[in-house]
Every structure is written in structure tokens, then in C-alpha cells.
């Protein structure tokens, strides 16, 4: 009888494995589609808005420091992955994300404020990766991408649980909540 229960467990495991790869493929395809479709859908809107919007944010509620310098530095880092017009338009998810990076994100602000005056590089992050992902520019880019994802997916329907996204004092790897069977 133990042989029968072992076979039953193996069948259950193979059923789980059979669904894992298609589900992973579907998630990757959805992410790529979102990454392509969002900038394209906002292109016409941002061109018109960028003419009206002079890329000056309301800095009254920003963390102290040289906000204009931080914005230009962030724009120079992020313009390799996002159009400067989208970054300048506060009505787009990308504009909201860069504003959060420049004004509210204490980790990114600290990186900007401690920029090396000789090399122009941002300091290394405190929680770097072994494979060279420890540059401050990489951390700012990662936080921007996650913030843009948050703003683009929460504009129409707000998230029921924010999962600690956009926690300005937490490393982005901690923007999650641990769920176990006892949470359900």
C-alpha cells in the first residue's frame, strides 16, 4: 500500500511540474507585452503633455536637498530605458515613478546626494549582488522599474495589498510579504 501512496505523490508532483513552465511562460509573455505596450500607448499622450509640462515638479513635498540636480541625474540614468518625454510627464506611470525616486525614495535620494564628484558615479548599494549588480545606478534603475510597474498596474484599479511596494526605507528585495498557509 505504501507503493500506491508513493505513486500517487509522484503523479501529484508531475501535475505541478506540468503547469509550472506554461505558467512561467505566460507570466514572462505578459511582462514583455506590458513593457512594450505601455510606452507605445502613452506616446501620443506624452508628446502633447510634454509640451505643456515643462518637466518641473512640485518640489514642496520632496525630501530636502537639491531636487533639480537629483531629477537631472535620475533622468540621465533612466533615459536609456525610458523616453525623456515620458519621464517629464507626471501623468504617466514613468513620470510618477521618477518623481517618487527623486522626491520620496530615501534610498535613491541618499545615493544621489552621495554621488562621487570626481567620477560622477553613485556609491555602491549596501546590499549588492555577487555578480556586479551593486552599483548605485543599478539600484536606482531597479527601484524605478518596480515603481513604474506599481503605478502602471494600480492606476485604474488600486492594489488590494501593496505588498510593501514603494517603501522608501526598505531595499527593493523586501517589497513583499511572506504568505504561508496560516495567512489564508
Amino acid at each position: 500500500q505504501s507503493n500506491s501512496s508513493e505513486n500517487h505523490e509522484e503523479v501529484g508532483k508531475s501535475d505541478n511540474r506540468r503547469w509550472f513552465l506554461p505558467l512561467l511562460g505566460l507570466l514572462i509573455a505578459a511582462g514583455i507585452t506590458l513593457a512594450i505596450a505601455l510606452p507605445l500607448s502613452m506616446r501620443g499622450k506624452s508628446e502633447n503633455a510634454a509640451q505643456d509640462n515643462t518637466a518641473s515638479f512640485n518640489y514642496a513635498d520632496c525630501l530636502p536637498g537639491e531636487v533639480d540636480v537629483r531629477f537631472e541625474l535620475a533622468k540621465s540614468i533612466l533615459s536609456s530605458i525610458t523616453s525623456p518625454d515620458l519621464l517629464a510627464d507626471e501623468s504617466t506611470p514613468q513620470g510618477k515613478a521618477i518623481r517618487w525616486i527623486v522626491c520620496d525614495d530615501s534610498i535613491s535620494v541618499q545615493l544621489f546626494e552621495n554621488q562621487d564628484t570626481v567620477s560622477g558615479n553613485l556609491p555602491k548599494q549596501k546590499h549588492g549582488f555577487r555578480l556586479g549588480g551593486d552599483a548605485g545606478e543599478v539600484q536606482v534603475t531597479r527601484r524605478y522599474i518596480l515603481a513604474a510597474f506599481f503605478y502602471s498596474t494600480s492606476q485604474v484599479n488600486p492594489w488590494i495589498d501593496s505588498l510593501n511596494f514603494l517603501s522608501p526605507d526598505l531595499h527593493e528585495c523586501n517589497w513583499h510579504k511572506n504568505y504561508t498557509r496560516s495567512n489564508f
Side-chain angles (χ1 to χ4, degrees), residues 24-154:
L24 182 62
L26 181 63
L27 287 173
I28 291 171
I32 291 170
T33 303
L34 181 64
I36 293 170
L38 260 172
L40 289 176
S41 69
M42 301 304 278
R43 181 177 292 167
K45 295 176 186 175
S46 68
E47 289 171 1
N48 295 335
Q51 293 170 356
D52 300 327
N53 184 2
T54 59
S56 61
F57 292 135
N58 177 10
Y59 296 138
D61 57 342
C62 289
L63 291 171
E66 297 183 37
V67 180
D68 289 327
V69 173
R70 290 194 312 246
F71 177 77
E72 290 303 317
L73 182 56
K75 194 166 76 169
S76 71
I77 294 169
L78 301 172
S79 63
S80 65
I81 60 170
T82 302
S83 161
D85 291 339
L86 288 173
L87 292 172
D89 184 357
E90 278 191 85
S91 68
T92 66
Q94 296 87 346
K96 291 176 183 178
I98 194 172
R99 186 189 191 293
W100 179 79
I101 290 287
V102 169
C103 289
D104 302 320
D105 182 19
S106 58
I107 290 177
S108 294
V109 167
Q110 185 177 15
L111 289 170
F112 292 140
E113 297 291 328
N114 292 313
Q115 178 186 21
D116 186 300
T117 55
V118 176
S119 69
N121 294 330
L122 298 182
K124 292 185 176 189
Q125 61 178 331
K126 293 179 182 170
H127 306 289
F129 291 102
R130 287 184 233 167
L131 302 175
D134 59 354
E137 290 83 358
V138 173
Q139 186 173 25
V140 168
T141 302
R142 233 184 358 251
R143 293 173 78 80
Y144 163 77
I145 290 169
L146 289 168
F149 171 78
F150 177 81
Y151 287 120
S152 66
T153 58
S154 65

